[in-house]
């Protein structure tokens, strides 16, 4: 592979396409026969062609390299194997012994975290920087835009044929390189020709598509304009050739999966429609954005500046109508390397602001949050059973109770005791699994020289909360807060499940949110606790008296309050 790579993303992705200035040929079969004959005669591909597309043996060799399994004896593979076993075997076996209602959600979140850990084990630098994703429809000019923003040369005319089908991460590296990561966690070095071939045209040529084989592509460059940022180029969600793909691996779902995990999003739209399309709005809504999106009208040089301003104004109106939180709407010309906005510096300012790097990996913090919620459910169940047993004993001492009823009450008490023991065993097993996972992740981060933190930045909190919800396949986002609990627990003895109590905001004070469930209890979410997730906000902007909540009593001093957002 060449030691110097020109980061011309549109050329990389679209370079395999036939030059329209060439004479047309009678059929694809004739083209393939001619290309193959030429290659066999000269040992090289035709000018402007692609060896991986023109020479079947090279194309199949590329496929073989890309689908190779990872080395199971390598240190990284051993850590991945241990982590997977703890989640897929130990955790599931432990959950089979009890009826913790959080089990399926915990498993889904652990699987999502596992995927992130595996990805980071292959590309450690992904965890050191924030990711800025570029999304939009297939013809929005995402690759041209990245070329311009990153200061790349040799821009080509916009191609309207959908090609990019693998999420591509662009970042600084120790050397110029391109690597493909398959779904077996195997990294493969590839050259520019191979990158050009990894597209839908390869599938049409050989009947093989890469979207179900490759997880991502990493393009690294030694000299990089934004060393503390990672840029993500995603498949166009609106491509018309997804009908033959499985729903989970279609370009739309691949784009959604990776865009949801990004820290910041830039969304490109074309100017000819005069505003953002409804399909774009629907897709943005499905992302449940954690941060405001910067919407950019691409190819702005094709319209007068005044018209771009009008399109930006109308787009803002439509974004507000669609309840999309946006930073701004600006125009941009990749051809001119120019922003169209009153200040001319919106994009530059955003990238400068977010180009700070992370203060450490949040993997351990995420792990703690997942197990904390799971164990809180066990604790709530224990408290419910203890209250029930206390009530049963009080009833059993009533002299008016018949002897056979006392026996029945005693049997119920024994069953409750067995349940308590089972929950205690489960909590102990889950704690051991948590500790083992924590040890594995700690060692992995140490080996990869990734610093960790238990105090994530606000952007990390927002993105992780969003991803936790996506991991359990729900369309509404939840906000969960630790709360202070005060009251007579015996008043809850008749409640079958103290982890599913209905509540609502009673009032808002300088202390925080006061939650009502009945007159016997006082539940307060401290303002400092809300600030951890939502930042320094005015509580009245997000909550109002009467806002419904779900309350989980954890102990005689602690509760968990959950609000549904976007329901």
């Amino acid at each position: 592979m060449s030691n110097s790579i020109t980061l011309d993303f549109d050329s990389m992705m679209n370079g395999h396409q036939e030059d329209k200035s060439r004479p047309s040929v009678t059929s694809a079969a004739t083209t393939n026969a001619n290309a193959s004959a030429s290659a066999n005669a000269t040992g090289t591909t035709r000018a402007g062609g692609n060896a991986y597309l023109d020479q079947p043996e090279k194309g199949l060799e590329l496929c073989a390299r890309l689908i190779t399994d990872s080395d199971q004896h390598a240190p990284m593979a051993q850590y991945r194997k241990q982590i997977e076993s703890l989640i897929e075997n130990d955790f599931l076996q432990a959950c089979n012994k009890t009826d913790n209602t959080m089990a399926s959600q915990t498993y889904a979140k652990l699987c999502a975290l596992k995927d992130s850990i595996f990805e980071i084990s292959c590309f450690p630098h992904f965890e050191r920087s924030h990711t800025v994703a570029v999304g939009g429809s297939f013809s929005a000019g995402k690759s041209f835009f990245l070329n311009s923003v990153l200061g790349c040369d040799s821009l080509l005319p916009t191609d309207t044929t959908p090609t990019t089908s693998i999420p591509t991460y662009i970042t600084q590296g120790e050397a110029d390189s391109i690597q493909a990561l398959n779904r077996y966690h195997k990294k493969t070095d590839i050259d520019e020709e191979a990158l050009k071939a990894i597209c839908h045209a390869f599938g049409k040529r050989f009947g093989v598509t890469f979207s179900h084989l490759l997880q991502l592509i990493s393009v690294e460059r030694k000299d990089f304009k934004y060393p503390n940022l990672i840029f993500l180029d995603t498949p166009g969600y609106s491509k018309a050739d997804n009908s033959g793909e499985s729903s989970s691996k279609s370009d739309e779902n691949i784009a959604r999966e990776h865009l949801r995990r990004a820290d910041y999003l830039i969304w490109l739209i074309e100017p000819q429609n005069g505003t953002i399309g409804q399909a774009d709005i629907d897709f943005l809504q499905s992302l449940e954005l954690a941060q405001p999106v910067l919407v950019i009208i691409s190819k702005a040089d094709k319209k007068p500046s005044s018209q771009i301003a009008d399109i930006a104004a109308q787009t803002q109106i439509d974004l507000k109508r669609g309840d999309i939180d946006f930073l701004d709407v600006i125009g941009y010309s990749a051809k001119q390397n120019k922003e169209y906005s009153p200040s001319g510096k919106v994009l530059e300012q955003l990238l400068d602001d977010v180009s700070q790097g992370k203060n450490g990996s949040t993997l351990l913090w995420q792990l703690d949050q997942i197990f904390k919620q799971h164990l809180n459910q066990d604790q709530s169940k224990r408290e419910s059973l203890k209250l029930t047993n206390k009530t049963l004993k009080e009833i059993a001492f009533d002299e008016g109770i018949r002897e056979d009823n006392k026996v029945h009450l005693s049997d119920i008490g024994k069953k409750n005791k067995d349940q308590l023991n089972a929950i205690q065993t489960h909590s102990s097993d889950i704690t051991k699994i948590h500790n083992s996972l924590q040890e594995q992740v700690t060692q992995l981060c140490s080996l990869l020289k990734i610093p960790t933190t238990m105090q994530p930045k606000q952007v990390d909190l927002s993105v992780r909360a969003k991803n936790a919800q996506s991991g359990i396949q729900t369309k509404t986002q939840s906000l969960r807060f630790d709360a202070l609990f005060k009251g007579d627990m015996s008043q809850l003895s008749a409640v079958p499940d103290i982890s599913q109590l209905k509540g609502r905001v009673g009032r808002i004070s300088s202390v925080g949110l006061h939650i009502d469930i009945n007159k016997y209890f006082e539940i307060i979410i401290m303002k400092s606790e809300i600030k951890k997730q939502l930042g320094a906000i005015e509580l009245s902007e997000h909550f109002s008296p009467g806002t419904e909540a779900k309350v989980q009593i954890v102990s005689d001093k602690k509760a968990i309050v959950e609000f549904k957002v976007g329901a």
Side-chain angles (χ1 to χ4, degrees):
M1 183 172 63
S2 170
N3 292 328
S4 178
I5 294 174
T6 300
L7 264 159
D8 186 326
F9 298 105
D10 198 80
S11 175
M12 287 177 176
M13 298 302 178
N14 301 338
H16 68 281
Q17 295 194 22
E18 189 170 16
D19 188 340
K20 295 176 182 177
S21 65
R22 297 188 201 130
S24 61
V25 293
T26 56
S27 68
T30 304
T31 302
N32 293 338
N34 291 341
S36 181
S38 174
N40 291 335
T42 65
T44 60
T45 185
R46 58 185 169 82
N50 186 298
Y52 297 100
L53 297 175
D54 296 334
Q55 301 177 38
E57 65 278 8
K58 285 189 69 69
L60 295 177
E61 182 269 338
L62 174 62
C63 284
R65 287 197 294 124
L66 291 175
I67 65 175
T68 302
D69 201 352
S70 60
D71 181 1
Q72 297 301 316
H73 300 291
M76 292 298 106
Q78 291 299 307
Y79 280 111
R80 289 194 293 264
K81 185 177 180 181
Q82 289 290 332
I83 290 170
E84 185 163 35
S85 178
L86 285 167
I87 295 173
E88 300 293 344
N89 297 325
D90 297 22
F91 178 78
L92 290 181
Q93 288 176 11
C95 289
N96 285 335
K97 301 174 184 177
T98 187
D99 62 347
N100 187 305
T101 57
M102 287 287 295
S104 61
Q105 292 185 22
T106 303
Y107 175 68
K109 292 175 182 178
L110 286 174
C111 286
L113 184 61
K114 176 190 69 177
D115 290 342
S116 295
I117 293 171
F118 286 4
E119 191 173 287
I120 292 164
S121 71
C122 296
F123 299 104
H125 56 283
F126 281 13
E127 192 66 1
R128 300 188 186 106
S129 304
H130 289 123
T131 300
V132 177
V134 178
S137 65
F138 78 81
S139 60
K142 299 183 293 297
S143 297
F144 275 180
F145 171 77
L146 279 169
N147 271 334
S148 175
V149 170
L150 298 178
C152 301
D153 300 325
S154 305
L155 293 177
L156 299 177
T158 303
D159 197 313
T160 58
T161 303
T163 55
T164 308
S165 57
I166 310 298
T168 304
Y169 289 80
I170 310 104
T171 183
Q172 187 179 55
E174 294 181 357
D176 294 345
S177 66
I178 306 172
Q179 293 179 314
L181 177 68
N182 69 20
R183 298 192 180 276
Y184 306 109
H185 316 296
K186 172 70 165 57
K187 286 194 301 184
T188 301
D189 288 312
I190 60 175
D191 56 21
E192 293 183 33
E193 289 285 281
L195 182 56
K196 294 173 186 177
I198 298 175
C199 59
H200 290 273
F202 195 96
K204 293 175 182 177
R205 176 73 174 87
F206 297 111
V208 176
T209 57
F210 287 99
S211 59
H212 67 291
L213 297 174
L214 298 183
Q215 190 169 330
L216 61 88
I217 292 170
S218 173
V219 178
E220 298 181 18
R221 187 174 173 85
K222 187 175 182 180
D223 296 322
F224 197 64
K225 188 174 180 179
Y226 296 97
N228 292 322
L229 285 178
I230 299 168
F231 289 85
L232 167 62
D233 188 14
T234 57
Y237 78 92
S238 59
K239 284 155 64 172
D241 54 352
N242 286 334
S243 57
E245 298 185 54
S246 67
S247 59
S248 64
K249 299 305 176 190
S250 69
D251 289 317
E252 177 179 346
N253 284 295
I254 291 172
R256 182 181 289 109
E257 174 189 349
H258 284 261
L259 289 172
R260 286 186 64 92
R261 292 162 57 186
D263 300 297
Y264 302 95
L265 174 60
I266 296 173
W267 190 261
L268 268 58
I269 64 173
E270 293 187 273
Q272 66 263 28
N273 295 325
T275 185
I276 187 169
Q278 186 58 47
D280 282 19
I281 289 178
D282 292 343
F283 189 87
L284 287 170
Q285 288 173 337
S286 76
L287 296 178
E288 298 171 2
L289 298 171
Q291 302 293 332
V293 58
L294 174 61
V295 177
I296 293 182
I297 306 162
S298 64
K299 311 168 190 176
D301 55 286
K302 294 187 175 183
K303 299 284 185 181
S305 298
S306 59
Q307 194 170 347
I308 294 297
D310 292 340
I311 295 172
Q314 183 59 50
T315 299
Q316 290 190 21
I317 293 172
D318 292 335
L319 287 168
K320 291 176 181 177
R321 187 181 294 123
D323 199 25
I324 303 296
D325 190 11
F326 63 94
L327 175 68
D328 205 340
V329 180
I330 63 173
Y332 191 88
S333 167
K335 187 176 181 180
Q336 300 173 333
N337 299 324
K338 177 183 176 182
E339 175 180 318
Y340 288 68
S341 70
S343 70
K345 294 184 178 181
V346 175
L347 176 61
E348 179 184 348
Q349 187 63 55
L350 169 65
L351 296 180
D352 286 344
D353 288 345
V354 303
S355 185
Q356 306 299 321
K358 295 182 178 179
N359 61 344
S361 170
T362 63
L363 290 175
L364 292 175
W365 175 82
Q366 292 179 67
L367 202 60
D368 274 1
Q369 296 302 303
I370 292 171
F371 280 100
K372 178 182 176 182
Q373 290 185 21
H374 188 92
L375 292 172
N376 278 343
Q377 184 69 22
D378 278 355
Q379 194 170 344
S380 289
K381 188 65 175 178
R382 281 200 300 271
E383 292 298 329
S384 289
L385 290 170
K386 287 178 181 178
L387 287 171
T388 301
N389 280 346
K390 182 180 179 182
T391 301
L392 290 173
K393 289 179 181 179
E394 291 174 353
I395 295 174
F397 281 112
D398 189 333
E399 295 181 358
I401 298 295
R402 287 173 12 203
E403 194 63 32
D404 57 339
N405 285 336
K406 288 185 179 182
V407 173
H408 180 61
L409 291 172
S410 177
D411 289 340
I412 295 176
K414 289 179 181 178
K415 289 180 180 179
N416 282 352
K417 186 176 181 180
D418 289 341
Q419 279 187 275
L420 281 168
N421 290 335
I423 291 172
Q424 184 61 47
T425 300
H426 175 74
S427 295
S428 177
D429 291 342
I430 293 298
T431 299
K432 290 177 182 177
I433 293 169
H434 178 199
N435 291 338
S436 295
L437 279 171
Q438 192 174 45
E439 181 180 357
Q440 291 294 318
V441 174
T442 299
Q443 291 177 4
L444 183 63
C445 288
S446 177
L447 184 63
L448 296 171
K449 298 180 180 179
I450 298 175
T452 60
T453 180
M454 299 301 287
Q455 296 180 326
K457 292 182 179 180
Q458 182 60 42
V459 62
D460 297 314
L461 286 169
S462 300
V463 172
R464 303 314 165 196
K466 173 187 67 175
N467 288 339
Q469 294 307 310
S470 66
I472 58 176
Q473 300 299 309
T474 179
K475 292 186 177 181
T476 57
Q477 183 177 346
S478 296
L479 292 173
R480 292 169 61 92
F481 302 101
D482 289 342
L484 301 178
F485 175 79
K486 185 178 181 181
D488 183 1
M489 290 286 285
S490 64
Q491 296 295 329
L492 291 172
S493 58
V495 179
D497 188 356
I498 61 173
S499 68
Q500 300 286 335
L501 299 176
K502 291 183 178 181
R504 62 182 65 246
V505 176
R507 62 190 178 92
I508 301 173
S509 72
S510 58
V511 176
L513 297 178
H514 298 256
I515 309 299
D516 293 339
I517 55 174
N518 64 35
K519 63 181 180 180
Y520 299 106
F521 306 103
E522 184 177 9
I523 299 173
I524 303 175
I525 308 174
M526 301 299 289
K527 197 170 184 178
S528 57
E529 184 67 26
I530 297 172
K531 185 178 179 181
K532 290 179 184 178
Q533 292 194 46
L534 300 180
I537 63 162
E538 289 294 331
L539 296 183
S540 58
E541 293 180 2
H542 291 261
F543 307 95
S544 60
T547 300
E548 294 184 351
K550 184 174 73 175
V551 178
Q552 174 185 1
I553 307 300
V554 179
S555 68
D556 58 354
K557 295 180 181 179
K558 179 182 176 182
I560 305 292
V561 180
E562 180 178 350
F563 296 95
K564 290 292 185 182
V565 180

